[in-house]
């Protein structure tokens, strides 16, 4: 696709030629600018596009954060220690004199940075009642691409098929490998144990420290005993009030401010 800048300047920019470069964080990457040959009279600029435009290479010098960790190779830029903040769309712009006038060209590169997961945040309740619904959560916010999650109980991986784990846990749990949730529809005492979660993507994997969940049965007999005790205390208090009433303990005299007294009975 050709476009005329003015009657003496010619240029091209083909958006279909945008190419994607993928790099792993903290490794190196080369942003290549497609142009046949560099000449002494060629003028080069590199820009990072986004909400605003920032210069990467301008007036024959690398700019900003690229000063100390990048170098120019012909028209291309070699970033020695790429970070997630470098991800984005870049454009090289070249102007060079020709027989027809000033020749202007540009090329666009999209940089994608792959990031390993951090240690995921794991939420595991310390206690639960048997028969209730319990959800454990695992989440990583740094990995790119988004990681998938695996849960472990007492160091043993929980499979996607709960029935295969019937010896060590019940068969009513579900794992969402995308969101990182482990849900027990009806948790049981067999589910007591130490739980940990691993976040993994194509770059790496990290695991959170194990946390123990204790599942106990609801103590019905204890609740009944407590209710009986409370009822007994209330009954005894009631009997005590009646006894005091009969003995006249509530017939005390109310003393008025001027020394007079009034009987409450």
């Amino acid at each position: 696709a050709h476009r005329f800048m003015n009657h003496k300047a010619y240029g091209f920019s083909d958006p279909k030629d945008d190419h994607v470069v993928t790099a792993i964080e903290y490794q190196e990457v080369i942003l290549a600018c497609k142009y046949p040959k560099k000449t002494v009279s060629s003028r080069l600029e590199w820009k990072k596009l986004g909400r605003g435009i920032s210069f990467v290479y301008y007036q024959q010098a690398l700019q900003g954060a690229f000063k100390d960790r990048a170098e120019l190779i012909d028209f291309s830029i070699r970033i020695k220690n790429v970070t997630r903040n470098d991800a984005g769309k870049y454009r090289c712009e070249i102007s060079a004199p020709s027989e027809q006038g000033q020749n202007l060209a540009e090329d666009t590169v999209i940089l994608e940075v792959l990031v390993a997961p951090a240690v995921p945040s794991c939420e595991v309740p310390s206690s639960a009642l048997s028969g209730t619904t319990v959800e454990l959560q695992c989440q990583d916010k740094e990995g790119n691409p988004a990681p998938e999650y695996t849960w472990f109980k007492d160091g043993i991986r929980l499979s996607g098929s709960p029935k295969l784990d019937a010896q060590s846990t019940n068969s009513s749990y579900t794992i969402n490998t995308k969101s990182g949730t482990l849900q027990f529809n009806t948790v049981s005492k067999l589910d007591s144990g130490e739980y940990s979660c691993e976040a993994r993507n194509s770059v790496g994997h990290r695991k959170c420290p194990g946390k123990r969940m204790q599942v106990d049965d609801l103590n019905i007999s204890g609740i009944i005993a407590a209710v009986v005790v409370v009822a007994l205390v209330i009954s005894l208090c009631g009997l005590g009030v009646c006894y005091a009433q009969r003995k006249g303990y509530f017939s005390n005299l109310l003393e008025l401010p001027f020394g007079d007294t009034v009987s409450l009975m």
Side-chain angles (χ1 to χ4, degrees):
H2 293 271
R3 59 186 175 88
F4 291 94
M5 304 300 293
N6 53 53
H7 68 286
K8 289 187 178 181
Y10 304 89
F12 68 88
S13 174
D14 191 349
K16 293 181 181 180
D17 285 343
D18 291 358
H19 57 285
V20 178
V21 177
T22 302
I24 297 175
E25 189 173 37
Y26 306 127
Q27 295 188 8
E28 71 172 46
V29 67
I30 293 179
L31 304 182
C33 186
K34 296 178 182 178
Y35 196 75
K37 186 178 179 182
K38 184 178 181 180
T39 62
V40 177
S41 57
S42 299
R43 180 169 175 256
L44 171 69
E45 290 181 1
W46 269 96
K47 299 174 183 177
K48 185 178 181 182
L49 312 179
R51 292 182 179 178
I53 296 177
S54 58
F55 281 101
V56 176
Y57 183 84
Y58 179 65
Q59 292 184 340
Q60 299 183 344
L62 289 160
Q63 305 292 318
F66 297 95
K67 280 183 179 180
D68 301 323
R69 58 186 182 91
E71 64 177 345
L72 193 71
I73 303 175
D74 290 332
F75 289 128
S76 301
I77 291 181
R78 174 176 171 257
I79 304 174
K80 301 175 184 177
N81 188 21
V82 68
T83 71
R84 66 194 71 184
N85 294 327
D86 296 331
K89 193 171 187 178
Y90 294 80
R91 185 174 68 210
C92 68
E93 300 174 356
I94 302 167
S95 60
S98 65
E99 294 179 358
Q100 293 82 16
Q102 195 75 2
N103 188 19
L104 305 177
E106 62 182 41
D107 189 23
T108 304
V109 181
I110 297 173
L111 173 61
E112 290 185 355
V113 180
L114 305 182
V115 181
V119 175
S121 171
C122 298
E123 296 183 12
V124 179
S126 58
S127 61
L129 288 177
S130 180
T132 61
T133 298
V134 178
E135 184 176 271
L136 285 62
Q137 297 181 345
C138 179
Q139 189 176 33
D140 162 73
K141 296 182 179 179
E142 297 189 20
N144 180 40
E148 291 195 350
Y149 301 94
T150 304
W151 278 95
F152 297 82
K153 179 192 173 188
D154 297 328
I156 301 174
R157 179 179 178 273
L158 293 177
S159 69
S161 177
K163 293 182 179 179
L164 298 178
D165 302 315
Q167 293 181 352
S168 60
T169 185
N170 73 38
S171 59
S172 64
Y173 75 81
T174 55
I175 295 177
N176 189 322
T177 58
K178 301 295 184 184
S179 66
T181 58
L182 166 60
Q183 181 172 301
F184 294 94
N185 298 322
T186 52
V187 72
S188 76
K189 293 182 72 173
L190 284 174
D191 297 319
S192 295
E194 186 178 86
Y195 288 84
S196 60
C197 170
E198 181 186 78
R200 178 185 292 268
N201 65 8
S202 58
V203 186
H205 56 90
R206 298 294 293 275
K207 197 174 184 180
C208 70
K211 296 181 180 180
R212 180 166 181 81
M213 179 178 71
Q214 181 64 40
V215 182
D216 295 311
D217 291 330
L218 188 62
N219 193 346
I220 301 297
S221 59
I223 294 175
I224 294 174
V227 170
V228 170
V229 170
V230 171
L232 184 59
V233 170
I234 293 174
S235 299
L236 290 175
C237 289
L239 291 173
V241 170
C242 291
Y243 180 78
Q245 183 80 17
R246 288 183 178 181
K247 292 295 184 179
Y249 293 145
F250 295 127
S251 58
N252 295 328
L253 298 178
L254 177 63
E255 188 173 344
L256 296 176
F258 300 102
D260 298 330
T261 58
V262 176
S263 175
L264 296 176
M265 299 299 294

